[in-house]
Each structure stands twice: as C-alpha cells, then as structure tokens.
Amino acid sequence: RGGVDASEQGVMKRKRKKKREYRFFFFKQKTAYEIYQCDWSSDVCSSDLYNIHKGIGGTDRRYRLERIVEVINHCQPDIALLQEVDDGVPRSKHDRQVELLANATGLQHHAFQRNVKLKHGGYGNAILSRFPLADLHNIDLTIHFKKLRIKKQRRALVAHCRIHLAGHTRSV
C-alpha cells in the first residue's frame, strides 16, 4: 500500500531503515517525496512527505492542484505531510490549498503553518490526516547569525494523533 509503479512513474528506491519500517524514495522531474510505512501487527499506517511546489509543476509549469490530488490519492496515505502549500496567493488563484487538498483526498483533519508571508497571502507546511490532530506546535528552525540576513524562516509544524491499530492505541 502506498507504492508507486516505478515502470510507469519514474525511479523508486527502497531502503530498509529499522526492523519493520521501510522508507521509499520516489524521484520524478526533480521532485522527491517519501512514503513511510510502519508495520504494526497486521495493520499498516502510511504517511507521505511531499513538496508540492505550490501546485505548480510538470513540464508545462502550470498551476494544476489536481495533479497533487492524484499523487496523494494514488498513495492512499493515512497522514500526508506537505511542504510549500499556498494560502491566498495570486499564483494559485488565491486558493486555500490545504482545505482544497483535504476535501479532494478525504484526509479531513488538517493543519497549516505559514512560513513565508508574501504581499498577498503566503506559503508553508501542512498536515492532512485521517485521524484527529492534537497538540499543534510551530517550531522555529531558523539559524540566526549577527552579520547574515536570513531570507526565509525555516519552521516545522508538529502535531500528535492517536491511531488505533490491531487492538492497540498508538500516539504518533
């Protein structure tokens, strides 16, 4: 579950990370995303980490959010961790992408963190989940130097959710 057909879509590499945890890397058109699969008993919980590049991509470099929806739906993750998600920006038709993606993928629980403020709107990180999200935190990862001017803030969005698998409750 969560795999991508390498013969049709690009190159996929599989690396064994730890006991019963695998990491899949998929590379296509200079975009990489990871699919983590954790095997807990017979049930599987999968998550995607995906830089959506504001929904602009492909060989035509057009704004087509349905491409992102297609990839997420193909992988069928329980949790999707997204980078470069637009919110109210003209280049993406002033869409609130996190809400559009949540509705289109069926991942109804979502959170958004704006990292970069623009003249109109901004972009940042988002989490889409099948499970309710709790304990949301914004963590500043920016390294400040006295003589250097930082162009963009680096931040992380952290959330917890409780998952019920194989008769057990896990906190992720």
Side-chain angles (χ1 to χ4, degrees):
R1 188 173 138 177
V4 177
D5 183 11
S7 63
E8 295 178 10
Q9 299 293 326
V11 178
M12 180 182 283
K13 297 179 183 178
R14 177 179 170 175
K15 295 182 182 180
R16 186 172 175 98
K17 238 188 121 181
K18 295 180 185 175
K19 185 179 180 182
R20 293 196 296 171
E21 183 176 327
Y22 296 90
R23 198 180 249 197
F24 293 88
F25 295 92
F26 174 69
F27 299 92
K28 182 180 178 186
Q29 298 177 359
K30 299 181 184 177
T31 300
Y33 65 89
E34 299 180 51
I35 305 166
Y36 293 95
Q37 292 186 330
C38 306
D39 183 4
W40 292 323
S41 298
S42 62
D43 292 330
V44 175
C45 172
S46 66
S47 65
D48 289 357
L49 172 62
Y50 190 11
N51 185 332
I52 69 167
H53 297 289
K54 303 153 194 99
I56 300 169
T59 55
D60 59 4
R61 300 290 301 149
R62 293 186 182 196
Y63 175 65
R64 304 252 330 260
L65 203 58
E66 59 271 11
R67 294 175 185 167
I68 307 303
V69 170
E70 184 179 324
V71 171
I72 293 172
N73 285 336
H74 178 79
C75 295
Q76 299 177 346
D78 295 308
I79 301 169
L81 309 169
L82 307 177
Q83 298 169 305
E84 295 190 30
V85 179
D86 267 356
D87 183 35
V89 180
R91 68 176 163 229
S92 56
K93 303 176 185 176
H94 299 280
D95 289 341
R96 293 213 57 205
Q97 289 182 341
V98 68
E99 291 177 2
L100 294 175
L101 290 169
N103 292 334
T105 60
L107 299 170
Q108 62 206 24
H109 305 283
H110 59 274
F112 177 75
Q113 170 197 53
R114 183 176 289 181
N115 289 338
V116 178
K117 184 178 179 183
L118 303 172
K119 187 175 181 179
H120 300 286
Y123 65 93
N125 300 321
I127 300 173
L128 306 177
S129 174
R130 294 194 197 289
F131 312 104
L133 299 172
D135 302 324
L136 293 169
H137 299 283
N138 294 316
I139 300 174
D140 186 5
L141 302 173
T142 308
I143 299 173
H144 299 280
F145 294 103
K146 292 180 181 178
K147 295 183 180 182
L148 294 176
R149 297 182 78 193
I150 306 297
K151 290 185 179 181
K152 295 182 191 174
Q153 288 185 348
R154 304 292 180 200
R155 298 171 69 191
L157 176 60
V158 179
H160 291 93
C161 61
R162 298 186 63 76
I163 301 173
H164 303 285
L165 293 173
H168 300 284
T169 301
R170 308 275 190 215
S171 180
V172 179

